[in-house]
Amino acid sequence: MTGPSAPDRQSWISALRGRAARLRTALARRRIPVGKGLRGRIRTATARLRTAAARIPTRPPTRLPKAAAPRRTAAAPSLRHPAPRPWARACGLAVVAGLGAWLGLLVVGSVHTQVGPMETSMALRPDLTGGTRINVSPLGALELASHTAPLRLDVEVEQLDPARSSALVEHPERLSGLEDEVAADIVAGTTELALRSCAAVVSGATALGLAVYRRPRRALAAGGLALALLAASTAAAAATWNPRSVLEPRYSGLLTSAPSLIGNARSIVTEFDVYQQELARLVTNVTKLYDATSTLPAFRPDPGSIRVLHVSDLHLNPAAWHIIASLVTQYRIDVIVDSGDTMDHGSAAENAFLDPIRDLDAPYVWVRGNHDSRTTQAYLSRMKNVTVLDEGRAATVGGLRIAGTGDPQFTPDRSVAARGAPAERLAGIRLASAIRDQARAGTPVDLAVAHNPDAARETDGTVPLVLAGHLHRREVEVMRFGTRLKVEGSTGGGGLRAVQNEKPEKVRASVLYLDRTTKRLQAWDEITLGGLGLTTAEVGRHLPEENKPGAKPSPGPFAEPSSSAGPRPAADPVGKPSPGPSPAAPATPSRGPSGAARSAVP
């Protein structure tokens, strides 16, 4: 037989306590004297009752049958696991759908299509302001305010189809039908892009929803929401479509000169006949430029060669960064070498001009010019992709061991008298000494850099190749002890000096091809652009004498010059290329004394 349950036991003890309390109260009211014996007995009896109640076995509470258990309704949710609020779930689903749609467009949302004589790729990208962006690498880009929607249309012009371009050159009358052909190509491309974009956003949002929620219904809901967002964005673009946006494009890169080359859109509409003739001439010249590449010297750079872009004397010209970025992409540059005079006055206020260096896709090696201050040098030293060389310091960048020194003179500082050529030669002697120390340490230098040619000439016999600038013109010579000195022109077109001269100064840069094993110069391309307006483009391929057919093998490793060494040729004729054709001349390739083919595009 089981004892009373726990609730019964508690009620029993409470009743006993109540009776004892009432007994003490009655005795106190009646003032009946109670001896210690009576109180002691009462306390003893109370204690025994407590002990007996504690020994009574407990019985588990009876459970109600399942049918009588209270049901949890939607109106009374569980307090331990509260249900999420509807708006929070909706926001989470919207975020998953938007992110999945963006990933889908990024991965599989682009199409390749032919538009006239050009190979292009089209893609939709999320953007708060919308519009259309047309990239023409390496010339730059133009932007159109074509619509206002959270989607931007990106069109990338990848290359020019030589066959179709040649057909337009041989039959200029086909230009009259080029407009209809281009319109049909654009319609076909955009239709394919729309279908692919729908599939991309649905697939991306569904896949991300399945990964996040692990429920097919939620994943399908995310895919449907992404499709609805795409449809709403497309409707917004159609409602805000502005066909007149083509009349007011915004240019960047080299295309900033496009209005001066072919006229603005309004003049094209009003003078279409003249524009058609200019377009035919432009297509002809561009095609001839492509054809000119086949007449370059027989040398083909080894795909594994080290490609160095040599720039100098930017002098605060912001267009130089667009040109450098384009050349880095087009020529797959491994390392950029800047031989100084990047600034004009070297002040701290000019430092922001250097910020685009961070976005270049190649390491940047820099030496100080006579227009660059120590403040400029300190600012560049803090950039991760920049290596600053000074006082003969050497570093391995892009597979090459490069040593350099900054210009010892800062000419904008009028409080210090310029020391001229002697100071430059002394800096060159220190550079040559540092290069010899590197060779004795077992780390020979492959390439030296100095701003002033007077300093660079002091490295003769210690290094195969030395680069310089400062003169704003190109010079190439093989010095007495075998070192080749290459002086680059102004990659910034002289900077502010371009507006002071009677004729604009040209923009110059060079691409050097070096053997990855021997680190010797195999060939170099000289790129020359017109000055303000950039109306011409010239490319010249040059070979060292030892790489020409029938030439003697290249000399062995460089040693320290001695007094017994015999004289060597003072200059390499490759350093004196013939001038390119004038802007008004037809763009036909010509050959300079070195056999380098040159071509110009008016």
Side-chain angles (χ1 to χ4, degrees):
M1 182 175 178
T2 60
S5 63
D8 297 339
R9 184 185 64 186
Q10 293 296 334
S11 60
W12 186 27
I13 293 174
S14 300
L16 290 177
R17 289 177 179 175
R19 290 180 182 179
R22 287 194 295 272
L23 178 61
R24 288 195 296 270
T25 302
L27 292 175
R29 287 179 180 178
R30 294 178 183 179
R31 297 184 180 182
I32 300 176
V34 180
K36 295 183 179 179
L38 179 60
R39 291 185 177 180
R41 287 195 295 271
I42 293 174
R43 291 175 180 173
T44 301
T46 304
R48 288 178 180 177
L49 289 174
R50 290 178 179 175
T51 304
R55 291 177 180 177
I56 297 175
T58 60
R59 183 176 61 184
T62 57
R63 296 182 179 179
L64 298 175
K66 293 183 178 180
R71 295 182 180 181
R72 184 177 300 171
T73 61
S78 174
L79 296 178
R80 184 175 298 178
H81 300 288
R85 298 179 180 179
W87 63 267
R89 290 194 299 177
C91 290
L93 186 64
V95 170
V96 170
L99 183 59
W102 178 76
L103 292 175
L105 288 176
L106 192 64
V107 176
V108 295
S110 61
V111 297
H112 295 272
T113 183
Q114 183 93 17
V115 178
M118 298 175 295
E119 295 284 347
T120 67
S121 63
M122 299 181 180
L124 291 177
R125 294 290 181 260
D127 190 272
L128 295 178
T129 59
T132 301
R133 180 179 177 86
I134 303 175
N135 297 308
V136 187
S137 180
L139 299 179
L142 60 92
E143 298 180 0
L144 306 176
S146 56
H147 61 275
T148 302
L151 282 178
R152 184 185 73 243
L153 174 62
D154 283 356
V155 181
E156 183 82 23
V157 179
E158 298 176 344
Q159 63 180 0
L160 189 68
D161 188 350
R164 301 184 72 173
S165 300
S166 300
L168 290 175
V169 172
E170 295 173 0
H171 305 282
E173 66 277 2
R174 295 185 181 180
L175 286 174
S176 59
L178 184 62
E179 181 181 357
D180 296 335
E181 181 182 355
V182 169
D185 292 339
I186 292 177
V187 170
T190 53
T191 301
E192 183 181 357
L193 176 63
L195 296 177
R196 182 181 287 267
S197 299
C198 291
V201 299
V202 172
S203 302
T206 302
L208 185 61
L210 192 61
V212 173
Y213 295 113
R214 302 183 182 276
R215 296 180 182 178
R217 296 181 65 180
R218 287 283 184 87
L220 292 177
L225 180 58
L227 184 60
L229 292 175
L230 178 63
S233 301
T234 305
T240 59
W241 179 254
N242 179 21
R244 298 180 59 85
S245 61
V246 296
L247 299 178
E248 298 176 353
R250 290 181 297 174
Y251 298 95
S252 62
L254 299 183
L255 288 181
T256 53
S257 61
S260 62
L261 294 180
I262 61 174
N264 56 37
R266 296 182 186 277
S267 64
I268 293 174
V269 174
T270 57
E271 301 176 5
F272 183 77
D273 294 337
V274 177
Y275 169 69
Q276 181 172 314
Q277 296 174 3
E278 293 297 320
L279 179 62
R281 187 171 68 90
L282 181 62
V283 172
T284 301
N285 291 333
V286 170
T287 304
K288 288 185 178 180
L289 176 61
Y290 274 81
D291 293 339
T293 59
S294 63
T295 64
L296 291 175
F299 171 79
R300 291 293 181 269
D302 183 358
S305 62
I306 301 175
R307 304 187 177 202
V308 179
L309 175 62
H310 182 201
V311 299
S312 186
D313 297 86
L314 273 64
H315 285 292
L316 289 180
N317 186 350
W321 298 125
H322 298 287
I323 297 171
I324 292 173
S326 299
L327 292 175
V328 167
T329 302
Q330 183 177 359
Y331 285 88
R332 301 189 298 276
I333 296 299
D334 295 302
V335 58
I336 305 168
V337 176
D338 187 341
S339 50
D341 269 6
T342 312
M343 313 297 260
D344 226 5
H345 300 90
S347 63
E350 296 173 294
N351 286 342
F353 170 75
L354 303 169
D355 291 343
I357 295 179
R358 295 189 177 95
D359 300 326
L360 297 176
D361 294 331
Y364 201 91
V365 178
W366 183 85
V367 297
R368 188 179 66 252
N370 63 295
H371 283 265
D372 303 319
S373 65
R374 298 280 180 175
T375 302
T376 303
Q377 181 167 313
Y379 188 82
L380 279 171
S381 299
R382 293 192 290 268
M383 294 188 183
K384 294 183 179 180
N385 64 326
V386 176
T387 301
V388 175
L389 302 179
D390 195 11
E391 301 295 338
R393 180 198 169 198
T396 301
V397 184
L400 292 174
R401 187 73 176 168
I402 306 175
T405 187
D407 197 296
Q409 305 180 92
F410 179 51
T411 54
D413 186 1
R414 303 302 180 185
S415 63
V416 179
R419 292 171 291 171
E424 301 293 346
R425 288 194 290 268
L426 181 59
I429 292 172
R430 292 174 179 171
L431 174 60
S433 176
I435 293 174
R436 294 189 185 97
D437 293 341
Q438 290 284 330
R440 283 191 286 267
T443 55
V445 172
D446 307 312
L447 177 66
V449 190
H451 176 67
N452 196 301
D454 290 337
R457 286 189 174 89
E458 298 300 324
T459 64
D460 187 16
T462 64
V463 68
L465 178 64
V466 60
L467 305 180
H470 184 65
L471 301 181
H472 290 207
R473 66 177 184 272
R474 285 195 180 108
E475 289 185 3
V476 180
E477 66 174 289
V478 176
M479 296 183 288
R480 180 180 180 184
F481 296 107
T483 296
R484 185 184 301 273
L485 169 63
K486 189 176 186 312
V487 181
E488 188 55 76
S490 173
T491 310
L496 297 178
R497 295 158 185 78
V499 299
Q500 299 173 356
N501 302 331
E502 183 178 353
K503 293 183 179 179
E505 188 171 334
K506 292 186 176 181
V507 174
R508 295 178 173 91
S510 296
V511 178
L512 315 179
Y513 303 94
L514 285 78
D515 185 87
R516 192 170 291 274
T517 303
T518 65
K519 308 300 191 297
R520 294 299 181 88
L521 183 65
Q522 297 176 311
W524 71 90
D525 291 340
E526 293 181 349
I527 296 98
T528 305
L529 303 177
L532 290 176
L534 303 177
T535 55
T536 62
E538 302 173 5
V539 180
R541 167 67 52 80
H542 301 274
L543 303 178
E545 289 293 336
E546 60 269 19
N547 283 2
K548 294 181 181 179
K552 297 180 181 180
S554 59
F558 279 78
E560 294 188 23
S562 61
S563 58
S564 61
R568 298 195 180 187
D572 187 347
V574 75
K576 304 296 183 181
S578 63
S582 63
T588 55
S590 61
R591 293 187 178 274
S594 65
R598 304 173 64 85
S599 59
V601 181

